[in-house]
Amino acid sequence: MQSDLDELTMTSEEYKKLSLKEFDRAAEKFDDDDPSVYNMCRKDYPDVLAEAVREPFSDLLDAGCGTGAMLGMFKRDYPDKNYTGVDLSEKMIETANRKHIDGIRFVAGDCENLPFADNSFDVVTCSMSFHHYPNPEKFFMSLHRVLRPGGRFILRDLASNNILLMWFMNRIEIPIANKVMHKGDVHVYSRTDIQRLCDKSGLKLELYEVRKGFRLHCVVRKPVRVGGMEIMDLQLGDVQETALIPLAVRANETKRENARIYDEKAVEIIDTLGIDTKDLDKFFSHEGVVARTILFDRAVKKLLAKYPDAVCVNIGCGLDDRFSRVDNGRIEWFNVDLPDSIEVRKKIFTETEREHMTAGDILKTDWMGDVPKENVTVVIAEGLLMYFSKEQVRTILNNITGSFGRGFLLAELMHPKMMKEKMHDTVKHTNAKFGWGTRTGRELSELDPKLELIKERSFWDEMKKYTLAGKIGSVLAKDLNNRLAVYKWQ
C-alpha cells in the first residue's frame, strides 16, 4: 500500500483540491433521486446502520458525511443518539445544515485531522469517502484519538478480492479518472492495506469483507487498556452483566469527597472503559451496594482476625476487588466465576501467589480441586444466590459443605417480595432474572443441615446511618431489604 501511494504523482493538496471541486459541484444535486453514482452510494447506508447498532452507542461521527443523508436515516431510526458529521467540502456542510435536522451537528473539516476532542465518539462511520484520502495513516491516527476505548470504526468503500482487478483500479482506472474526469480518487484498499494501517495506529481489525457491488465492509476497534493490559470489549452474560452495577457504584462512591468505601480499581475500570453509569448507579442501589460492601468487608475482616491463615473463596466474584480491601498479608484468595466472566476478569486483574482466578460452574464441584482444604474456608456469596432457584441453592450449599471440611459462609439474601426485577432501579435495566428469595436466613439452614446461622443483618442497619431514606426504610420496610447472613459449618 505505502509503495503504491509513494508513487502517486500528485501532492496531497492537489488530490484534495480535485475532491473539493467534485463535491462542491455535487453539493446541490447529491440528494437527488437519479441514477448517478451518488444515488448508488446511498444503497450502502442500511448496511452501515445495521453494523452500528450491533452494539450500544451514544455518540456517532460520520466522516465524509456529505449532505448528511446517512445521518438523517440514523436519526430517523434511532433518534435518542448524538450524531456529528464532518466533511472537507464546506458546500456539502452548508447543504446539510439547510436541512435543519435537530440533533445532528455538521462540521467542515479535514478527516485526516478530525477537529474533535480525544475520546469523543463510540462509533465513527465512513461511507464511500475513504478512497479520497491521500494520507490514510493520518486518518487512522486521528480515528484512534477521537474514538473512545472499545469504540468502533465502520468503513464502507470500494474493494475486490481479485488482486488483478485491485491493481487495475489503483494503477489504471483511478489515474485515468483523475486526469480525464478531474476526480480526486486516491486508492482502494486490500485487507493487507487495512491491517497495516491498523498496526501503525494501534487499532484492531475485526472484520474485512468484500460484498456485492465491489463494496468493502470493514469494522475496526480501538482497544481498551486497563492496568497496562489490552482488552477489546466486555462481553458479559445477562446475570454477569449485573457485575457492572456494584462496579459503577464503588467507582462513583470512591470519587466522592467523603467516600464511605474506596475501590481505586473500580474507578480505573469505569474511567478507562468509558462506561456510562447512568443506568447502573441509582440512589437505592447505590446506598445498598455501599452498605453491603461495608458489611461484607467488615465481616470478612472479623473472621480473618480470628483465622488469619484462612482460605477465602469469592463465588460469583464478577469484577469485585475485595481481596485488596481485606488482605492481611497471609490469606489465600480464590475468585470463582463462570468461564466468560473469568476471561474478562483476567484481562483486567492480575493473578498473584495468593490471589487466584478460577473458572467454574458453582453448581458443580470440579473447580474446587484447585482450592486447599487444610485451613478454615471463608466462602463469600455476595449478590449471587438470588439468581438461582431453591434447588440450585441447595446444590451450591451442599457442594460447599461437602467439599470443605470447616468454614464460614457469608451470603447475601433477598426477600421473596423483592424478587421482581422492575422493583430494582438498576437491575431492571439488564436482562437478569431473579430466582429464589428467603424471609429469614434459617431457610438456608433447612437446605443444608451442616449450616448453622450465626447472625443476620439487614442492609438497613448500615443505610440508616447516612440518609433520611435509610432511616425511614429501616422502619417502614425493615424486613424487605437484602441481608447479610453468616453461617458456620464443621
Side-chain angles (χ1 to χ4, degrees):
M1 176 197 69
Q2 188 60 51
S3 60
D4 286 345
L5 293 183
D6 286 343
E7 294 174 9
L8 296 176
T9 56
M10 290 190 291
T11 64
S12 296
E13 289 72 22
E14 288 171 327
Y15 276 111
K16 291 179 181 181
K17 284 181 180 179
L18 284 180
S19 292
L20 275 174
K21 286 182 180 179
E22 176 185 356
F23 290 106
D24 282 351
R25 289 195 303 267
E28 296 301 327
K29 63 179 182 179
F30 192 84
D31 293 325
D32 292 346
D33 189 15
D34 60 45
S36 70
V37 65
Y38 309 123
N39 191 40
M40 292 172 59
C41 292
R42 288 195 288 275
K43 295 179 180 179
D44 293 330
Y45 299 167
D47 280 357
V48 179
L49 174 60
E51 189 68 58
V53 299
R54 286 181 186 275
E55 298 178 19
F57 69 90
S58 297
D59 303 287
L60 181 145
L61 169 68
D62 186 24
C65 66
T67 61
M70 185 167 72
L71 287 180
M73 185 184 73
F74 276 40
K75 182 66 177 177
R76 179 196 67 204
D77 293 349
Y78 295 89
D80 60 331
K81 312 297 183 183
N82 302 312
Y83 299 103
T84 302
V86 60
D87 200 282
L88 188 64
S89 169
E90 292 188 4
K91 290 191 176 181
M92 283 285 191
I93 296 300
E94 289 172 4
T95 302
N97 279 323
R98 284 201 297 269
K99 296 179 180 181
H100 302 293
I101 308 175
D102 291 338
I104 303 181
R105 174 177 56 140
F106 292 105
V107 178
D110 191 337
C111 289
E112 292 179 357
N113 185 22
L114 292 167
F116 307 104
D118 297 358
N119 305 314
S120 295
F121 301 100
D122 304 303
V123 180
V124 176
T125 60
C126 184
S127 181
M128 295 304 293
S129 177
F130 182 50
H131 62 273
H132 290 281
Y133 303 169
N135 302 293
E137 293 90 351
K138 290 183 178 180
F139 175 56
F140 266 62
M141 292 299 293
S142 200
L143 279 174
H144 187 282
R145 182 179 59 78
V146 302
L147 275 172
R148 291 176 179 139
R152 294 168 294 147
F153 169 51
I154 301 169
L155 174 62
R156 191 82 173 184
D157 214 275
L158 296 168
S160 172
N161 287 322
N162 188 308
I163 297 176
L164 291 178
L165 182 56
M166 289 285 281
W167 179 91
F168 177 81
M169 293 170 71
N170 283 319
R171 296 301 185 92
I172 307 297
E173 182 181 10
I174 286 178
I176 290 177
N178 288 337
K179 285 196 174 188
V180 176
M181 302 175 65
H182 305 291
K183 288 185 172 291
D185 297 347
V186 179
H187 198 83
V188 292
Y189 296 85
S190 68
R191 182 186 184 92
T192 301
D193 295 335
I194 299 296
Q195 185 64 65
R196 288 173 181 167
L197 289 169
C198 287
D199 291 343
K200 287 185 177 181
S201 61
L203 297 170
K204 296 293 183 181
L205 177 60
E206 289 192 348
L207 175 67
Y208 182 102
E209 292 180 351
V210 177
R211 297 183 178 178
K212 184 178 179 180
F214 302 104
R215 285 301 195 263
L216 165 63
H217 188 88
C218 182
V219 180
V220 170
R221 191 182 297 271
K222 179 177 178 177
V224 175
R225 288 190 173 274
V226 179
M229 303 177 68
E230 181 181 289
I231 66 176
M232 293 308 297
D233 60 346
L234 290 178
Q235 297 293 337
L236 297 173
D238 290 341
V239 173
Q240 298 95 298
E241 184 184 7
T242 61
L244 295 177
I245 295 172
L247 186 76
V249 171
R250 292 196 302 270
N252 290 341
E253 179 67 25
T254 301
K255 293 178 181 179
R256 292 186 176 184
E257 184 175 352
N258 298 311
R260 292 164 287 179
I261 58 174
Y262 294 91
D263 192 332
E264 296 299 337
K265 191 67 175 181
V267 174
E268 179 188 7
I269 296 170
I270 291 293
D271 288 352
T272 304
L273 296 179
I275 294 174
D276 183 356
T277 63
K278 179 182 64 174
D279 291 334
L280 299 171
D281 188 0
K282 303 292 186 179
F283 175 77
F284 278 107
S285 287
H286 186 102
E287 292 303 303
V289 168
V290 170
R292 84 178 189 188
T293 300
I294 293 172
L295 291 173
F296 269 81
D297 284 0
R298 186 183 296 154
V300 173
K301 289 179 180 179
K302 185 175 180 179
L303 286 172
L304 294 182
K306 188 173 182 179
Y307 305 99
D309 295 309
V311 173
C312 295
V313 182
N314 190 11
I315 57 176
C317 62
L319 299 174
D320 182 55
D321 192 29
R322 175 162 282 113
F323 172 79
S324 67
R325 300 196 299 270
V326 303
D327 181 28
N328 63 359
R330 295 168 61 176
I331 56 172
E332 191 166 6
W333 190 281
F334 289 83
N335 291 299
V336 182
D337 213 323
L338 292 170
D340 55 350
S341 293
I342 291 298
E343 282 304 307
V344 171
R345 188 178 179 92
K346 285 183 176 179
K347 294 172 182 176
I348 299 174
F349 294 86
T350 303
E351 287 191 282
T352 66
E353 290 185 0
R354 292 189 296 108
E355 184 183 13
H356 315 280
M357 287 180 263
T358 301
D361 183 348
I362 62 172
L363 292 171
K364 301 176 182 179
T365 60
D366 49 353
W367 60 270
M368 295 180 176
D370 297 330
V371 183
K373 310 294 193 300
E374 296 80 13
N375 296 330
V376 169
T377 304
V378 177
V379 178
I380 302 159
E382 178 186 7
L384 178 68
L385 298 183
M386 64 282 297
Y387 294 104
F388 292 90
S389 68
K390 181 177 181 179
E391 287 308 310
Q392 287 175 323
V393 173
R394 185 195 306 273
T395 297
I396 294 170
L397 300 178
N398 295 168
N399 287 345
I400 291 171
T401 62
S403 299
F404 303 106
R406 60 191 181 117
F408 297 86
L409 169 66
L410 282 61
E412 179 179 354
L413 306 180
M414 182 181 288
H415 196 281
K417 291 184 179 179
M418 299 301 294
M419 299 301 286
K420 295 180 180 179
E421 295 78 19
K422 64 181 181 180
M423 298 176 66
H424 297 259
D425 53 8
T426 52
V427 174
K428 69 180 181 181
H429 295 293
T430 73
N431 294 318
K433 301 297 180 183
F434 291 128
W436 177 62
T438 63
R439 289 175 173 80
T440 170
R442 288 189 297 274
E443 293 181 51
L444 261 67
S445 299
E446 294 170 2
L447 298 181
D448 191 319
K450 292 183 181 180
L451 288 177
E452 175 190 349
L453 179 63
I454 298 175
K455 65 177 180 180
E456 186 173 10
R457 290 194 64 186
S458 170
F459 290 178
W460 288 127
D461 291 349
E462 193 66 29
M463 294 170 67
K464 67 184 182 182
K465 298 177 182 178
Y466 307 109
T467 67
L468 178 61
K471 290 181 174 68
I472 295 173
S474 67
V475 175
L476 300 182
K478 62 180 181 178
D479 296 325
L480 299 184
N481 206 342
N482 287 16
R483 298 99 64 204
L484 164 63
V486 180
Y487 302 85
K488 180 180 179 179
W489 79 91
Q490 56 188 7

